[in-house]
Short mmCIF file of all heavy atoms in Angstrom, two decimals:
data_model
loop_
_atom_site.label_atom_id
_atom_site.label_comp_id
_atom_site.label_asym_id
_atom_site.label_seq_id
_atom_site.Cartn_x
_atom_site.Cartn_y
_atom_site.Cartn_z
N VAL A 80 -0.43 4.55 -0.29
CA VAL A 80 -1.17 5.58 0.36
C VAL A 80 -2.55 5.17 0.86
O VAL A 80 -3.18 4.24 0.25
CB VAL A 80 -1.36 6.86 -0.61
CG1 VAL A 80 -2.32 6.47 -1.80
CG2 VAL A 80 -1.77 8.04 0.04
N LYS A 89 -15.56 25.33 7.46
CA LYS A 89 -14.55 26.43 7.25
C LYS A 89 -14.44 27.29 8.47
O LYS A 89 -13.34 27.76 8.78
CB LYS A 89 -15.08 27.37 6.12
CG LYS A 89 -14.98 26.76 4.70
CD LYS A 89 -15.43 27.60 3.60
CE LYS A 89 -15.37 26.87 2.29
NZ LYS A 89 -15.77 27.78 1.26
N HIS A 93 -19.91 29.14 18.02
CA HIS A 93 -19.61 28.81 19.56
C HIS A 93 -20.94 28.72 20.29
O HIS A 93 -21.91 29.50 20.04
CB HIS A 93 -18.70 29.90 20.14
CG HIS A 93 -17.29 29.75 19.70
ND1 HIS A 93 -16.90 30.20 18.39
CD2 HIS A 93 -16.25 29.04 20.28
CE1 HIS A 93 -15.60 29.85 18.28
NE2 HIS A 93 -15.09 29.28 19.40
N ASN A 96 -19.26 28.42 25.13
CA ASN A 96 -17.79 28.62 25.07
C ASN A 96 -17.09 27.46 24.41
O ASN A 96 -15.86 27.32 24.56
CB ASN A 96 -17.11 28.86 26.43
CG ASN A 96 -17.56 30.15 27.03
OD1 ASN A 96 -17.76 31.16 26.27
ND2 ASN A 96 -17.90 30.20 28.29
N ARG A 98 -16.53 25.20 20.52
CA ARG A 98 -16.79 25.27 19.08
C ARG A 98 -18.05 24.44 18.89
O ARG A 98 -18.20 23.33 19.51
CB ARG A 98 -15.66 24.76 18.32
CG ARG A 98 -14.40 25.67 18.34
CD ARG A 98 -13.28 25.21 17.47
NE ARG A 98 -12.84 23.82 17.96
CZ ARG A 98 -11.93 23.15 17.33
NH1 ARG A 98 -11.37 23.56 16.27
NH2 ARG A 98 -11.56 22.04 17.88
N SER A 99 -18.91 24.78 17.95
CA SER A 99 -20.11 24.04 17.75
C SER A 99 -20.50 23.99 16.26
O SER A 99 -20.17 24.90 15.57
CB SER A 99 -21.26 24.57 18.65
OG SER A 99 -21.59 25.77 18.10
N GLY A 101 -24.20 23.36 14.23
CA GLY A 101 -25.66 23.16 14.43
C GLY A 101 -26.16 22.31 13.21
O GLY A 101 -25.83 22.46 12.07
N ASP A 105 -36.45 18.17 10.21
CA ASP A 105 -37.81 17.99 10.59
C ASP A 105 -38.12 16.45 10.57
O ASP A 105 -37.45 15.71 9.91
CB ASP A 105 -38.74 18.67 9.48
CG ASP A 105 -38.59 20.20 9.49
OD1 ASP A 105 -38.62 20.81 10.71
OD2 ASP A 105 -38.65 20.80 8.50
N ALA A 107 -39.92 13.08 9.48
CA ALA A 107 -40.67 12.48 8.34
C ALA A 107 -42.05 12.25 8.83
O ALA A 107 -42.35 12.06 10.01
CB ALA A 107 -40.04 11.34 7.96
N LYS A 111 -41.97 9.38 15.07
CA LYS A 111 -41.93 9.91 16.46
C LYS A 111 -40.70 10.55 16.73
O LYS A 111 -39.60 10.11 16.24
CB LYS A 111 -42.33 8.87 17.46
CG LYS A 111 -43.71 8.16 17.26
CD LYS A 111 -43.98 7.19 18.40
CE LYS A 111 -42.99 5.93 18.04
NZ LYS A 111 -43.30 4.82 18.94
N THR A 113 -39.01 10.31 19.46
CA THR A 113 -38.07 9.37 20.12
C THR A 113 -37.30 8.50 19.10
O THR A 113 -36.16 8.15 19.29
CB THR A 113 -38.88 8.49 21.05
OG1 THR A 113 -40.06 7.89 20.46
CG2 THR A 113 -39.33 9.28 22.28
N ALA A 115 -36.39 9.52 16.19
CA ALA A 115 -35.39 10.44 15.53
C ALA A 115 -34.24 10.50 16.56
O ALA A 115 -33.14 10.49 16.13
CB ALA A 115 -35.97 11.82 15.39
N ARG A 121 -27.45 6.74 16.98
CA ARG A 121 -26.74 5.59 16.19
C ARG A 121 -25.82 6.31 15.16
O ARG A 121 -24.64 5.76 15.06
CB ARG A 121 -27.87 4.75 15.54
CG ARG A 121 -28.41 3.69 16.39
CD ARG A 121 -29.15 2.58 15.61
NE ARG A 121 -30.23 3.16 14.81
CZ ARG A 121 -31.49 3.37 15.35
NH1 ARG A 121 -31.72 3.03 16.58
NH2 ARG A 121 -32.44 3.79 14.64
N ILE A 122 -26.22 7.33 14.52
CA ILE A 122 -25.33 7.93 13.56
C ILE A 122 -24.21 8.58 14.28
O ILE A 122 -23.02 8.40 13.81
CB ILE A 122 -26.11 9.03 12.78
CG1 ILE A 122 -27.11 8.34 11.82
CG2 ILE A 122 -25.23 9.90 11.90
CD1 ILE A 122 -28.20 9.29 11.24
N GLY A 125 -21.03 6.34 15.32
CA GLY A 125 -20.04 6.03 14.33
C GLY A 125 -19.20 7.11 13.84
O GLY A 125 -18.24 6.88 13.04
N LEU A 126 -19.49 8.33 14.14
CA LEU A 126 -18.83 9.52 13.65
C LEU A 126 -17.98 10.25 14.54
O LEU A 126 -17.01 10.93 14.13
CB LEU A 126 -19.85 10.46 13.01
CG LEU A 126 -20.64 9.98 11.86
CD1 LEU A 126 -21.72 11.00 11.41
CD2 LEU A 126 -19.82 9.68 10.67
N ASP A 128 -15.88 11.04 18.42
CA ASP A 128 -15.26 10.52 19.59
C ASP A 128 -15.85 11.08 20.88
O ASP A 128 -15.83 12.29 21.05
CB ASP A 128 -13.74 10.91 19.58
CG ASP A 128 -12.90 10.44 20.78
OD1 ASP A 128 -13.46 9.84 21.65
OD2 ASP A 128 -11.70 10.59 20.76
N ASN A 130 -14.95 11.26 23.74
CA ASN A 130 -14.04 11.87 24.69
C ASN A 130 -13.74 13.29 24.25
O ASN A 130 -13.24 14.13 25.18
CB ASN A 130 -12.77 11.08 24.72
CG ASN A 130 -12.85 9.69 25.26
OD1 ASN A 130 -13.55 9.43 26.20
ND2 ASN A 130 -12.39 8.65 24.51
N THR A 132 -16.04 15.11 21.86
CA THR A 132 -17.21 15.69 21.37
C THR A 132 -18.38 15.50 22.21
O THR A 132 -18.68 14.38 22.70
CB THR A 132 -17.47 15.01 19.96
OG1 THR A 132 -16.24 15.12 19.16
CG2 THR A 132 -18.59 15.75 19.23
N ILE A 140 -36.52 18.66 21.22
CA ILE A 140 -35.92 17.55 22.01
C ILE A 140 -35.45 17.87 23.34
O ILE A 140 -35.60 17.17 24.35
CB ILE A 140 -34.82 16.86 21.12
CG1 ILE A 140 -35.24 16.23 19.91
CG2 ILE A 140 -34.03 15.82 22.05
CD1 ILE A 140 -34.30 15.67 18.90
N ARG A 142 -36.50 20.37 25.22
CA ARG A 142 -37.72 20.59 26.14
C ARG A 142 -38.28 19.27 26.60
O ARG A 142 -38.66 19.10 27.67
CB ARG A 142 -38.75 21.42 25.38
CG ARG A 142 -38.35 22.89 25.14
CD ARG A 142 -39.45 23.78 24.63
NE ARG A 142 -39.85 23.39 23.30
CZ ARG A 142 -39.24 23.82 22.13
NH1 ARG A 142 -38.17 24.53 22.23
NH2 ARG A 142 -39.64 23.44 20.92
N GLN A 144 -36.64 16.44 26.93
CA GLN A 144 -35.81 15.78 27.98
C GLN A 144 -35.89 16.55 29.26
O GLN A 144 -35.83 15.91 30.33
CB GLN A 144 -34.31 15.87 27.43
CG GLN A 144 -34.09 14.89 26.27
CD GLN A 144 -32.77 14.98 25.61
OE1 GLN A 144 -32.10 16.12 25.72
NE2 GLN A 144 -32.26 13.89 25.03
N SER A 146 -38.53 18.09 30.48
CA SER A 146 -39.77 17.75 31.15
C SER A 146 -39.72 16.37 31.74
O SER A 146 -40.47 16.03 32.67
CB SER A 146 -40.96 17.94 30.20
OG SER A 146 -40.93 16.96 29.18
N GLU A 147 -39.02 15.47 31.15
CA GLU A 147 -38.82 14.12 31.68
C GLU A 147 -37.90 14.12 32.86
O GLU A 147 -38.16 13.16 33.70
CB GLU A 147 -38.38 13.12 30.54
CG GLU A 147 -39.23 12.85 29.50
CD GLU A 147 -38.64 12.02 28.33
OE1 GLU A 147 -37.39 11.78 28.41
OE2 GLU A 147 -39.37 11.66 27.42
#
Side-chain angles (χ1 to χ4, degrees):
V80 67
K89 291 182 182 181
H93 285 80
N96 294 321
R98 293 184 298 177
S99 68
D105 293 317
K111 298 181 287 185
T113 53
R121 278 194 297 277
I122 292 168
L126 295 176
D128 179 354
N130 298 312
T132 306
I140 294 174
R142 287 190 294 277
Q144 290 174 332
S146 68
E147 290 175 352

